[in-house]
Amino acid sequence: MATGTLIAESLVVGGALEGLDVTVRGIERVEPQDISAEQRAAGIPPRWTLLRFDVADDKAAAFAEALAGVLDEPGWYADLHTVDESFVVFSGRVFRYPIGDRDGRAAAEAHAREHGVPEPQIDWP
């Protein structure tokens, strides 16, 4: 089973994820302390709703692609992982790499930095 976290506020206005076989394991409302000045200036809200979810391993790639179609800019991302693979999803882009693959993770981290994600938020497993 792939597990992950999606920030509800990261979806584009009008974006929808429908017809997916996803189980929501938990919902949490947080006030992150690591929002950068650049994110605040871009309109990133000060409170986030975290959706912790599970999706079958064989549906993880399709779910990641669906997420890539509804995530907003700047710098929003979602992550999910199976026992063997990580998926880091940005608007229009999915990074998929084996767990422990330093080059794959480095590419996702570089993309995050280029799109305004502050270092403390580059924290996917």
Side-chain angles (χ1 to χ4, degrees):
M1 189 67 61
T3 62
T5 302
L6 172 66
I7 299 171
E9 291 77 11
S10 69
L11 299 179
V12 296
V13 173
L17 293 168
E18 298 177 320
L20 302 170
D21 191 10
V22 175
T23 301
V24 176
R25 290 183 294 107
I27 301 172
E28 179 182 4
R29 189 82 165 140
V30 299
E31 288 185 348
Q33 301 302 307
D34 56 3
I35 297 176
S36 69
E38 293 82 10
Q39 287 177 308
R40 289 184 198 282
I44 300 292
R47 293 184 183 100
W48 298 351
T49 307
L50 306 179
L51 305 170
R52 300 190 199 291
F53 62 85
D54 293 332
V55 61
D57 285 353
D58 63 339
K59 297 183 184 213
F63 183 63
E65 289 296 332
L67 282 174
V70 297
L71 288 178
D72 205 355
E73 292 284 349
W76 287 109
Y77 74 88
D79 66 273
L80 60 144
H81 60 278
T82 68
V83 171
D84 300 317
E85 288 185 293
S86 278
F87 298 81
V88 184
V89 185
F90 298 87
S91 177
R93 183 85 189 262
V94 176
F95 290 87
R96 179 180 183 176
Y97 56 90
I99 299 287
D101 178 346
R102 291 181 188 206
D103 292 338
R105 183 179 174 97
E109 289 176 348
H111 187 82
R113 288 181 189 104
E114 290 169 9
H115 289 83
V117 179
E119 288 299 320
Q121 293 175 19
I122 301 175
D123 62 352
W124 54 84

